[in-house]
Amino acid sequence: MTFNVPADAYARFMGRYSDPLAIEFVALVGPQPGQRALDVGCGPGVLTAPLVDRLGAAAVTGIDPSEPFVAAARARFPDVDIRQGPAEELPFADDTYDFALAQLVVHFMTDPVAGLREMSRVIRPGGLVAASVWDYGSERAPLAPFWRAVRQMDPSSLGESQLAGASEGQLVELFAAAGLDEVQQHLLTIQVPLTGFDDWWAPFSLGVGPAGKHVAELDEPQRDELKQRCAELLPSGPFVLEACAWAATGRA
């Protein structure tokens, strides 16, 4: 799955969920001044921001395969080294970083184990690899109501629940397969206030990720039906959406 969409479209679609998740994720990892961190699949810089706040721009590097996202991250963080490329072929020397992090990325890697091995390669011995993925397996992701409605229309649809790392225990298995040590699983929870159903629904039209792709492939009556089914699953007025992500950490 690629994300060759404008960075502002991603920000409107997922940013309101991934921004608070990034705060929780960085707090879990606990980088300290004087250490160096690599943000793998940095996108437009959601996780890069709290890393820069903690470590300074010179101590953070980002990489992402999406050209629009790389351009946006470079514009937002002109003093951060942002590269374009896949997680499976990191253009960095061995033992370069103290941390390698991937937020909401592992499940979109072409080869998650290879990507995690690369993340392990570029950190120093004893350094930390960390990754997070929304909990689609237990339907606690921000987009869970959407995929539930999709399955009501098409029971054969798996949504994002079949992606790597999207269920409890899967990230741990991937970390172990990549050869990481001291692997631990963590659950991160966020709460996002929304003004109502329309606030939640509107970004699905932007074509971002698997959900946006699914909407774009529907005809107008199908989109209307999907919207109505989603509306039946969520409040019409203001509500707080709680979402969970699985995270895993392991040492090189």
Side-chain angles (χ1 to χ4, degrees):
M1 172 60 63
T2 59
F3 286 82
N4 287 315
V5 296
D8 61 344
Y10 178 86
R12 288 181 57 198
F13 181 69
M14 187 53 65
R16 53 188 167 180
Y17 310 119
S18 56
D19 283 349
L21 180 64
I23 301 298
E24 296 296 320
F25 190 34
V26 170
L28 169 69
V29 173
Q32 299 297 316
Q35 296 179 315
R36 300 187 66 197
L38 173 64
D39 182 359
V40 177
C42 66
V46 171
L47 184 63
T48 312
L51 289 173
V52 168
D53 288 343
R54 286 211 178 202
L55 304 177
V60 178
T61 303
I63 186 167
D64 196 275
S66 167
E67 184 176 354
F69 285 2
V70 168
R74 286 172 174 167
R76 183 178 178 185
F77 303 102
D79 296 325
V80 174
D81 181 7
I82 305 290
R83 311 281 186 94
Q84 184 175 354
E88 296 86 351
E89 298 178 17
L90 297 176
F92 309 111
D94 297 359
D95 308 337
T96 300
Y97 301 95
D98 298 287
F99 299 91
L101 300 87
Q103 173 169 292
L104 307 179
V105 172
V106 168
H107 53 316
F108 294 124
M109 290 181 183
T110 302
D111 186 337
V113 172
L116 291 169
R117 282 179 181 150
E118 275 289 272
M119 291 170 67
S120 178
R121 177 185 64 79
V122 301
I123 61 173
R124 61 172 178 77
L128 197 72
V129 172
S132 63
V133 176
W134 291 122
D135 181 13
Y136 286 103
S138 298
E139 297 194 344
R140 294 186 293 180
L143 309 187
F146 173 86
W147 292 115
R148 196 177 307 143
V150 168
R151 287 194 300 275
Q152 290 176 356
M153 296 175 62
D154 178 10
S156 68
S157 176
L158 297 176
E160 295 180 64
S161 63
Q162 85 286 1
L163 297 177
S167 294
E168 182 176 4
Q170 291 183 351
L171 274 178
V172 170
E173 293 173 358
L174 292 171
F175 271 53
L180 288 154
D181 296 325
E182 300 179 33
V183 178
Q184 297 182 29
Q185 178 175 266
H186 315 266
L187 184 64
L188 305 177
T189 302
I190 62 163
Q191 293 185 326
V192 178
L194 298 168
T195 60
F197 171 74
D198 288 339
D199 184 18
W200 178 86
W201 171 261
F204 284 94
S205 65
L206 301 175
V208 179
K213 180 176 183 291
H214 183 88
V215 171
E217 292 174 346
L218 299 177
D219 59 30
E220 187 172 354
Q222 290 173 322
R223 284 195 295 271
D224 291 343
E225 180 183 355
L226 179 57
K227 180 180 179 180
Q228 179 58 39
R229 288 179 181 271
C230 287
E232 293 170 357
L233 297 173
L234 291 166
S236 58
F239 65 98
V240 174
L241 189 151
E242 183 173 280
C244 296
W246 291 112
T249 56
R251 296 198 178 275

mmCIF file of all heavy atoms in Angstrom, residues 134-178:
data_model
loop_
_atom_site.group_PDB
_atom_site.id
_atom_site.type_symbol
_atom_site.label_atom_id
_atom_site.label_comp_id
_atom_site.label_asym_id
_atom_site.label_seq_id
_atom_site.Cartn_x
_atom_site.Cartn_y
_atom_site.Cartn_z
ATOM 1 N N TRP A 134 -2.348 0.068 14.756
ATOM 2 C CA TRP A 134 -3.696 0.118 15.335
ATOM 3 C C TRP A 134 -4.216 -1.299 15.589
ATOM 4 O O TRP A 134 -3.943 -2.218 14.810
ATOM 5 C CB TRP A 134 -4.662 0.839 14.408
ATOM 6 C CG TRP A 134 -4.445 2.304 14.243
ATOM 7 C CD1 TRP A 134 -4.209 2.964 13.072
ATOM 8 C CD2 TRP A 134 -4.456 3.321 15.265
ATOM 9 N NE1 TRP A 134 -4.071 4.313 13.297
ATOM 10 C CE2 TRP A 134 -4.219 4.563 14.635
ATOM 11 C CE3 TRP A 134 -4.654 3.288 16.644
ATOM 12 C CZ2 TRP A 134 -4.177 5.767 15.345
ATOM 13 C CZ3 TRP A 134 -4.606 4.491 17.354
ATOM 14 C CH2 TRP A 134 -4.366 5.703 16.707
ATOM 15 N N ASP A 135 -5.008 -1.436 16.655
ATOM 16 C CA ASP A 135 -5.579 -2.730 17.019
ATOM 17 C C ASP A 135 -6.829 -3.007 16.181
ATOM 18 O O ASP A 135 -7.961 -2.844 16.644
ATOM 19 C CB ASP A 135 -5.910 -2.757 18.516
ATOM 20 C CG ASP A 135 -6.480 -4.090 18.965
ATOM 21 O OD1 ASP A 135 -6.389 -5.070 18.184
ATOM 22 O OD2 ASP A 135 -7.033 -4.156 20.079
ATOM 23 N N TYR A 136 -6.610 -3.440 14.943
ATOM 24 C CA TYR A 136 -7.730 -3.799 14.071
ATOM 25 C C TYR A 136 -8.327 -5.147 14.461
ATOM 26 O O TYR A 136 -9.511 -5.396 14.244
ATOM 27 C CB TYR A 136 -7.263 -3.853 12.614
ATOM 28 C CG TYR A 136 -7.017 -2.500 12.004
ATOM 29 C CD1 TYR A 136 -5.715 -2.015 11.837
ATOM 30 C CD2 TYR A 136 -8.075 -1.698 11.596
ATOM 31 C CE1 TYR A 136 -5.483 -0.769 11.278
ATOM 32 C CE2 TYR A 136 -7.845 -0.447 11.043
ATOM 33 C CZ TYR A 136 -6.554 0.003 10.888
ATOM 34 O OH TYR A 136 -6.322 1.239 10.347
ATOM 35 N N GLY A 137 -7.514 -6.028 15.039
ATOM 36 C CA GLY A 137 -7.990 -7.362 15.364
ATOM 37 C C GLY A 137 -9.137 -7.358 16.345
ATOM 38 O O GLY A 137 -10.062 -8.176 16.258
ATOM 39 N N SER A 138 -9.115 -6.439 17.309
ATOM 40 C CA SER A 138 -10.184 -6.318 18.305
ATOM 41 C C SER A 138 -11.105 -5.139 18.013
ATOM 42 O O SER A 138 -11.863 -4.714 18.876
ATOM 43 C CB SER A 138 -9.579 -6.165 19.712
ATOM 44 O OG SER A 138 -8.830 -7.310 20.058
ATOM 45 N N GLU A 139 -10.987 -4.596 16.796
ATOM 46 C CA GLU A 139 -11.844 -3.491 16.346
ATOM 47 C C GLU A 139 -11.752 -2.288 17.282
ATOM 48 O O GLU A 139 -12.763 -1.670 17.633
ATOM 49 C CB GLU A 139 -13.290 -3.943 16.183
ATOM 50 C CG GLU A 139 -13.476 -5.011 15.113
ATOM 51 C CD GLU A 139 -14.924 -5.212 14.714
ATOM 52 O OE1 GLU A 139 -15.818 -4.754 15.454
ATOM 53 O OE2 GLU A 139 -15.158 -5.823 13.662
ATOM 54 N N ARG A 140 -10.523 -1.955 17.673
ATOM 55 C CA ARG A 140 -10.320 -0.780 18.518
ATOM 56 C C ARG A 140 -9.506 0.294 17.796
ATOM 57 O O ARG A 140 -8.935 1.174 18.432
ATOM 58 C CB ARG A 140 -9.641 -1.188 19.832
ATOM 59 C CG ARG A 140 -10.519 -2.069 20.699
ATOM 60 C CD ARG A 140 -9.894 -2.337 22.061
ATOM 61 N NE ARG A 140 -8.685 -3.155 21.962
ATOM 62 C CZ ARG A 140 -7.968 -3.525 23.021
ATOM 63 N NH1 ARG A 140 -8.315 -3.133 24.231
ATOM 64 N NH2 ARG A 140 -6.898 -4.295 22.864
ATOM 65 N N ALA A 141 -9.455 0.214 16.478
ATOM 66 C CA ALA A 141 -8.780 1.233 15.675
ATOM 67 C C ALA A 141 -9.740 2.394 15.410
ATOM 68 O O ALA A 141 -10.966 2.233 15.485
ATOM 69 C CB ALA A 141 -8.316 0.633 14.349
ATOM 70 N N PRO A 142 -9.225 3.576 15.069
ATOM 71 C CA PRO A 142 -10.107 4.709 14.785
ATOM 72 C C PRO A 142 -11.067 4.445 13.624
ATOM 73 O O PRO A 142 -12.157 5.024 13.572
ATOM 74 C CB PRO A 142 -9.130 5.841 14.432
ATOM 75 C CG PRO A 142 -7.843 5.439 15.042
ATOM 76 C CD PRO A 142 -7.800 3.953 15.003
ATOM 77 N N LEU A 143 -10.660 3.563 12.706
ATOM 78 C CA LEU A 143 -11.477 3.283 11.526
ATOM 79 C C LEU A 143 -12.313 2.020 11.685
ATOM 80 O O LEU A 143 -12.928 1.563 10.718
ATOM 81 C CB LEU A 143 -10.585 3.151 10.286
ATOM 82 C CG LEU A 143 -9.582 4.277 10.032
ATOM 83 C CD1 LEU A 143 -8.912 4.079 8.681
ATOM 84 C CD2 LEU A 143 -10.247 5.639 10.106
ATOM 85 N N ALA A 144 -12.365 1.456 12.884
ATOM 86 C CA ALA A 144 -13.097 0.209 13.088
ATOM 87 C C ALA A 144 -14.563 0.296 12.664
ATOM 88 O O ALA A 144 -15.076 -0.635 12.024
ATOM 89 C CB ALA A 144 -12.980 -0.234 14.548
ATOM 90 N N PRO A 145 -15.296 1.379 12.971
ATOM 91 C CA PRO A 145 -16.696 1.447 12.521
ATOM 92 C C PRO A 145 -16.821 1.408 10.999
ATOM 93 O O PRO A 145 -17.786 0.838 10.465
ATOM 94 C CB PRO A 145 -17.192 2.776 13.088
ATOM 95 C CG PRO A 145 -16.295 3.046 14.252
ATOM 96 C CD PRO A 145 -14.956 2.520 13.842
ATOM 97 N N PHE A 146 -15.849 2.013 10.313
ATOM 98 C CA PHE A 146 -15.872 2.003 8.853
ATOM 99 C C PHE A 146 -15.799 0.582 8.322
ATOM 100 O O PHE A 146 -16.620 0.164 7.496
ATOM 101 C CB PHE A 146 -14.708 2.832 8.311
ATOM 102 C CG PHE A 146 -14.533 2.766 6.822
ATOM 103 C CD1 PHE A 146 -15.230 3.613 5.993
ATOM 104 C CD2 PHE A 146 -13.667 1.837 6.242
ATOM 105 C CE1 PHE A 146 -15.078 3.553 4.608
ATOM 106 C CE2 PHE A 146 -13.512 1.770 4.870
ATOM 107 C CZ PHE A 146 -14.225 2.630 4.052
ATOM 108 N N TRP A 147 -14.819 -0.189 8.804
ATOM 109 C CA TRP A 147 -14.648 -1.553 8.289
ATOM 110 C C TRP A 147 -15.779 -2.471 8.731
ATOM 111 O O TRP A 147 -16.128 -3.425 8.032
ATOM 112 C CB TRP A 147 -13.291 -2.106 8.705
ATOM 113 C CG TRP A 147 -12.154 -1.407 8.023
ATOM 114 C CD1 TRP A 147 -11.187 -0.630 8.587
ATOM 115 C CD2 TRP A 147 -11.886 -1.397 6.614
ATOM 116 N NE1 TRP A 147 -10.334 -0.143 7.636
ATOM 117 C CE2 TRP A 147 -10.730 -0.601 6.415
ATOM 118 C CE3 TRP A 147 -12.501 -1.983 5.513
ATOM 119 C CZ2 TRP A 147 -10.188 -0.384 5.151
ATOM 120 C CZ3 TRP A 147 -11.963 -1.769 4.248
ATOM 121 C CH2 TRP A 147 -10.827 -0.978 4.077
ATOM 122 N N ARG A 148 -16.387 -2.173 9.869
ATOM 123 C CA ARG A 148 -17.563 -2.954 10.289
ATOM 124 C C ARG A 148 -18.707 -2.742 9.302
ATOM 125 O O ARG A 148 -19.391 -3.680 8.903
ATOM 126 C CB ARG A 148 -17.972 -2.531 11.700
ATOM 127 C CG ARG A 148 -18.918 -3.524 12.388
ATOM 128 C CD ARG A 148 -19.201 -3.068 13.805
ATOM 129 N NE ARG A 148 -17.960 -2.820 14.530
ATOM 130 C CZ ARG A 148 -17.788 -1.836 15.411
ATOM 131 N NH1 ARG A 148 -18.783 -0.996 15.670
ATOM 132 N NH2 ARG A 148 -16.641 -1.696 16.025
ATOM 133 N N ALA A 149 -18.895 -1.488 8.895
ATOM 134 C CA ALA A 149 -19.946 -1.180 7.920
ATOM 135 C C ALA A 149 -19.628 -1.795 6.560
ATOM 136 O O ALA A 149 -20.523 -2.271 5.858
ATOM 137 C CB ALA A 149 -20.109 0.332 7.799
ATOM 138 N N VAL A 150 -18.357 -1.781 6.190
ATOM 139 C CA VAL A 150 -17.950 -2.411 4.926
ATOM 140 C C VAL A 150 -18.305 -3.892 4.936
ATOM 141 O O VAL A 150 -18.830 -4.430 3.949
ATOM 142 C CB VAL A 150 -16.441 -2.213 4.686
ATOM 143 C CG1 VAL A 150 -15.952 -3.104 3.536
ATOM 144 C CG2 VAL A 150 -16.128 -0.749 4.383
ATOM 145 N N ARG A 151 -18.047 -4.562 6.049
ATOM 146 C CA ARG A 151 -18.349 -5.995 6.134
ATOM 147 C C ARG A 151 -19.852 -6.269 6.125
ATOM 148 O O ARG A 151 -20.292 -7.329 5.672
ATOM 149 C CB ARG A 151 -17.710 -6.605 7.382
ATOM 150 C CG ARG A 151 -16.195 -6.759 7.276
ATOM 151 C CD ARG A 151 -15.656 -7.663 8.359
ATOM 152 N NE ARG A 151 -15.944 -7.128 9.693
ATOM 153 C CZ ARG A 151 -15.181 -6.234 10.321
ATOM 154 N NH1 ARG A 151 -14.107 -5.747 9.726
ATOM 155 N NH2 ARG A 151 -15.496 -5.826 11.525
ATOM 156 N N GLN A 152 -20.644 -5.320 6.602
ATOM 157 C CA GLN A 152 -22.098 -5.472 6.511
ATOM 158 C C GLN A 152 -22.538 -5.511 5.051
ATOM 159 O O GLN A 152 -23.456 -6.256 4.686
ATOM 160 C CB GLN A 152 -22.803 -4.323 7.237
ATOM 161 C CG GLN A 152 -22.674 -4.362 8.741
ATOM 162 C CD GLN A 152 -23.303 -3.143 9.406
ATOM 163 O OE1 GLN A 152 -23.784 -2.220 8.735
ATOM 164 N NE2 GLN A 152 -23.283 -3.110 10.731
ATOM 165 N N MET A 153 -21.881 -4.737 4.219
ATOM 166 C CA MET A 153 -22.198 -4.702 2.790
ATOM 167 C C MET A 153 -21.525 -5.846 2.035
ATOM 168 O O MET A 153 -22.070 -6.359 1.066
ATOM 169 C CB MET A 153 -21.764 -3.353 2.200
ATOM 170 C CG MET A 153 -22.513 -2.165 2.760
ATOM 171 S SD MET A 153 -21.865 -0.571 2.142
ATOM 172 C CE MET A 153 -22.158 -0.724 0.373
ATOM 173 N N ASP A 154 -20.336 -6.230 2.482
ATOM 174 C CA ASP A 154 -19.573 -7.280 1.803
ATOM 175 C C ASP A 154 -18.873 -8.141 2.852
ATOM 176 O O ASP A 154 -17.753 -7.831 3.272
ATOM 177 C CB ASP A 154 -18.555 -6.656 0.851
ATOM 178 C CG ASP A 154 -17.692 -7.700 0.147
ATOM 179 O OD1 ASP A 154 -18.014 -8.904 0.256
ATOM 180 O OD2 ASP A 154 -16.701 -7.312 -0.502
ATOM 181 N N PRO A 155 -19.519 -9.208 3.322
ATOM 182 C CA PRO A 155 -18.948 -10.039 4.385
ATOM 183 C C PRO A 155 -17.576 -10.626 4.045
ATOM 184 O O PRO A 155 -16.846 -11.032 4.947
ATOM 185 C CB PRO A 155 -19.984 -11.158 4.553
ATOM 186 C CG PRO A 155 -21.266 -10.562 4.069
ATOM 187 C CD PRO A 155 -20.869 -9.657 2.940
ATOM 188 N N SER A 156 -17.208 -10.662 2.781
ATOM 189 C CA SER A 156 -15.909 -11.217 2.401
ATOM 190 C C SER A 156 -14.766 -10.233 2.612
ATOM 191 O O SER A 156 -13.591 -10.610 2.543
ATOM 192 C CB SER A 156 -15.927 -11.667 0.936
ATOM 193 O OG SER A 156 -16.041 -10.543 0.066
ATOM 194 N N SER A 157 -15.091 -8.975 2.856
ATOM 195 C CA SER A 157 -14.051 -7.960 3.021
ATOM 196 C C SER A 157 -13.329 -8.143 4.350
ATOM 197 O O SER A 157 -13.963 -8.278 5.398
ATOM 198 C CB SER A 157 -14.650 -6.559 2.954
ATOM 199 O OG SER A 157 -13.664 -5.580 3.214
ATOM 200 N N LEU A 158 -12.008 -8.139 4.322
ATOM 201 C CA LEU A 158 -11.207 -8.296 5.530
ATOM 202 C C LEU A 158 -10.746 -6.956 6.096
ATOM 203 O O LEU A 158 -10.209 -6.900 7.200
ATOM 204 C CB LEU A 158 -9.985 -9.176 5.235
ATOM 205 C CG LEU A 158 -10.287 -10.613 4.817
ATOM 206 C CD1 LEU A 158 -8.994 -11.336 4.451
ATOM 207 C CD2 LEU A 158 -11.025 -11.360 5.920
ATOM 208 N N GLY A 159 -10.922 -5.885 5.320
ATOM 209 C CA GLY A 159 -10.480 -4.590 5.796
ATOM 210 C C GLY A 159 -8.989 -4.568 6.062
ATOM 211 O O GLY A 159 -8.192 -5.076 5.277
ATOM 212 N N GLU A 160 -8.602 -4.009 7.209
ATOM 213 C CA GLU A 160 -7.185 -3.942 7.566
ATOM 214 C C GLU A 160 -6.819 -4.937 8.664
ATOM 215 O O GLU A 160 -5.671 -4.970 9.106
ATOM 216 C CB GLU A 160 -6.837 -2.512 7.995
ATOM 217 C CG GLU A 160 -6.989 -1.514 6.848
ATOM 218 C CD GLU A 160 -6.654 -0.086 7.252
ATOM 219 O OE1 GLU A 160 -5.484 0.170 7.595
ATOM 220 O OE2 GLU A 160 -7.559 0.769 7.214
ATOM 221 N N SER A 161 -7.786 -5.750 9.085
ATOM 222 C CA SER A 161 -7.528 -6.680 10.173
ATOM 223 C C SER A 161 -6.540 -7.779 9.791
ATOM 224 O O SER A 161 -5.929 -8.404 10.660
ATOM 225 C CB SER A 161 -8.836 -7.314 10.654
ATOM 226 O OG SER A 161 -9.432 -8.081 9.620
ATOM 227 N N GLN A 162 -6.377 -8.019 8.477
ATOM 228 C CA GLN A 162 -5.474 -9.087 8.043
ATOM 229 C C GLN A 162 -4.047 -8.592 7.861
ATOM 230 O O GLN A 162 -3.155 -9.389 7.569
ATOM 231 C CB GLN A 162 -5.976 -9.694 6.712
ATOM 232 C CG GLN A 162 -5.539 -8.964 5.457
ATOM 233 C CD GLN A 162 -6.256 -7.651 5.205
ATOM 234 O OE1 GLN A 162 -7.111 -7.234 5.989
ATOM 235 N NE2 GLN A 162 -5.938 -6.996 4.110
ATOM 236 N N LEU A 163 -3.806 -7.303 8.039
ATOM 237 C CA LEU A 163 -2.468 -6.770 7.834
ATOM 238 C C LEU A 163 -1.536 -7.169 8.974
ATOM 239 O O LEU A 163 -1.956 -7.395 10.110
ATOM 240 C CB LEU A 163 -2.526 -5.243 7.708
ATOM 241 C CG LEU A 163 -3.318 -4.707 6.507
ATOM 242 C CD1 LEU A 163 -3.366 -3.181 6.537
ATOM 243 C CD2 LEU A 163 -2.714 -5.194 5.199
ATOM 244 N N ALA A 164 -0.267 -7.230 8.668
ATOM 245 C CA ALA A 164 0.735 -7.692 9.634
ATOM 246 C C ALA A 164 0.784 -6.805 10.872
ATOM 247 O O ALA A 164 0.868 -5.577 10.758
ATOM 248 C CB ALA A 164 2.115 -7.724 8.972
ATOM 249 N N GLY A 165 0.696 -7.420 12.039
ATOM 250 C CA GLY A 165 0.827 -6.682 13.287
ATOM 251 C C GLY A 165 -0.449 -6.065 13.807
ATOM 252 O O GLY A 165 -0.441 -5.391 14.837
ATOM 253 N N ALA A 166 -1.575 -6.288 13.114
ATOM 254 C CA ALA A 166 -2.810 -5.594 13.451
ATOM 255 C C ALA A 166 -3.614 -6.273 14.547
ATOM 256 O O ALA A 166 -4.658 -5.763 14.944
ATOM 257 C CB ALA A 166 -3.688 -5.435 12.199
ATOM 258 N N SER A 167 -3.153 -7.406 15.055
ATOM 259 C CA SER A 167 -3.849 -8.111 16.132
ATOM 260 C C SER A 167 -2.877 -8.394 17.271
ATOM 261 O O SER A 167 -1.652 -8.391 17.089
ATOM 262 C CB SER A 167 -4.431 -9.439 15.622
ATOM 263 O OG SER A 167 -5.455 -9.210 14.671
ATOM 264 N N GLU A 168 -3.425 -8.646 18.432
ATOM 265 C CA GLU A 168 -2.610 -8.886 19.617
ATOM 266 C C GLU A 168 -1.602 -10.013 19.376
ATOM 267 O O GLU A 168 -1.938 -11.068 18.859
ATOM 268 C CB GLU A 168 -3.507 -9.242 20.800
ATOM 269 C CG GLU A 168 -2.756 -9.459 22.098
ATOM 270 C CD GLU A 168 -3.649 -9.715 23.283
ATOM 271 O OE1 GLU A 168 -4.887 -9.801 23.083
ATOM 272 O OE2 GLU A 168 -3.131 -9.821 24.406
ATOM 273 N N GLY A 169 -0.364 -9.751 19.747
ATOM 274 C CA GLY A 169 0.688 -10.755 19.648
ATOM 275 C C GLY A 169 1.426 -10.790 18.331
ATOM 276 O O GLY A 169 2.530 -11.358 18.260
ATOM 277 N N GLN A 170 0.862 -10.201 17.282
ATOM 278 C CA GLN A 170 1.484 -10.324 15.969
ATOM 279 C C GLN A 170 2.774 -9.518 15.853
ATOM 280 O O GLN A 170 3.744 -9.978 15.222
ATOM 281 C CB GLN A 170 0.498 -9.925 14.874
ATOM 282 C CG GLN A 170 -0.646 -10.905 14.709
ATOM 283 C CD GLN A 170 -1.576 -10.529 13.575
ATOM 284 O OE1 GLN A 170 -1.474 -9.445 12.992
ATOM 285 N NE2 GLN A 170 -2.501 -11.410 13.250
ATOM 286 N N LEU A 171 2.810 -8.325 16.426
ATOM 287 C CA LEU A 171 4.051 -7.550 16.366
ATOM 288 C C LEU A 171 5.174 -8.276 17.102
ATOM 289 O O LEU A 171 6.321 -8.294 16.646
ATOM 290 C CB LEU A 171 3.838 -6.160 16.986
ATOM 291 C CG LEU A 171 3.280 -5.067 16.084
ATOM 292 C CD1 LEU A 171 3.091 -3.782 16.877
ATOM 293 C CD2 LEU A 171 4.182 -4.813 14.883
ATOM 294 N N VAL A 172 4.843 -8.876 18.228
ATOM 295 C CA VAL A 172 5.841 -9.635 18.982
ATOM 296 C C VAL A 172 6.408 -10.765 18.131
ATOM 297 O O VAL A 172 7.624 -11.008 18.119
ATOM 298 C CB VAL A 172 5.219 -10.187 20.279
ATOM 299 C CG1 VAL A 172 6.155 -11.183 20.943
ATOM 300 C CG2 VAL A 172 4.884 -9.046 21.229
ATOM 301 N N GLU A 173 5.545 -11.453 17.411
ATOM 302 C CA GLU A 173 5.997 -12.540 16.542
ATOM 303 C C GLU A 173 6.913 -12.011 15.438
ATOM 304 O O GLU A 173 7.932 -12.641 15.111
ATOM 305 C CB GLU A 173 4.784 -13.244 15.929
ATOM 306 C CG GLU A 173 3.932 -14.004 16.943
ATOM 307 C CD GLU A 173 2.660 -14.554 16.333
ATOM 308 O OE1 GLU A 173 2.428 -14.294 15.122
ATOM 309 O OE2 GLU A 173 1.897 -15.218 17.049
ATOM 310 N N LEU A 174 6.569 -10.873 14.862
ATOM 311 C CA LEU A 174 7.399 -10.283 13.809
ATOM 312 C C LEU A 174 8.762 -9.860 14.363
ATOM 313 O O LEU A 174 9.793 -10.060 13.720
ATOM 314 C CB LEU A 174 6.680 -9.086 13.183
ATOM 315 C CG LEU A 174 5.422 -9.397 12.369
ATOM 316 C CD1 LEU A 174 4.696 -8.116 12.007
ATOM 317 C CD2 LEU A 174 5.782 -10.178 11.111
ATOM 318 N N PHE A 175 8.759 -9.267 15.549
ATOM 319 C CA PHE A 175 10.025 -8.855 16.171
ATOM 320 C C PHE A 175 10.910 -10.072 16.426
ATOM 321 O O PHE A 175 12.126 -10.033 16.191
ATOM 322 C CB PHE A 175 9.746 -8.116 17.480
ATOM 323 C CG PHE A 175 9.559 -6.642 17.335
ATOM 324 C CD1 PHE A 175 8.637 -6.121 16.440
ATOM 325 C CD2 PHE A 175 10.292 -5.750 18.094
ATOM 326 C CE1 PHE A 175 8.466 -4.750 16.293
ATOM 327 C CE2 PHE A 175 10.134 -4.381 17.962
ATOM 328 C CZ PHE A 175 9.208 -3.876 17.063
ATOM 329 N N ALA A 176 10.314 -11.140 16.925
ATOM 330 C CA ALA A 176 11.089 -12.356 17.193
ATOM 331 C C ALA A 176 11.651 -12.934 15.904
ATOM 332 O O ALA A 176 12.811 -13.366 15.848
ATOM 333 C CB ALA A 176 10.222 -13.382 17.908
ATOM 334 N N ALA A 177 10.838 -12.933 14.834
ATOM 335 C CA ALA A 177 11.294 -13.454 13.544
ATOM 336 C C ALA A 177 12.430 -12.612 12.977
ATOM 337 O O ALA A 177 13.275 -13.125 12.228
ATOM 338 C CB ALA A 177 10.126 -13.503 12.553
ATOM 339 N N ALA A 178 12.465 -11.335 13.336
ATOM 340 C CA ALA A 178 13.527 -10.446 12.861
ATOM 341 C C ALA A 178 14.790 -10.564 13.703
ATOM 342 O O ALA A 178 15.793 -9.897 13.415
ATOM 343 C CB ALA A 178 13.037 -9.002 12.857
#
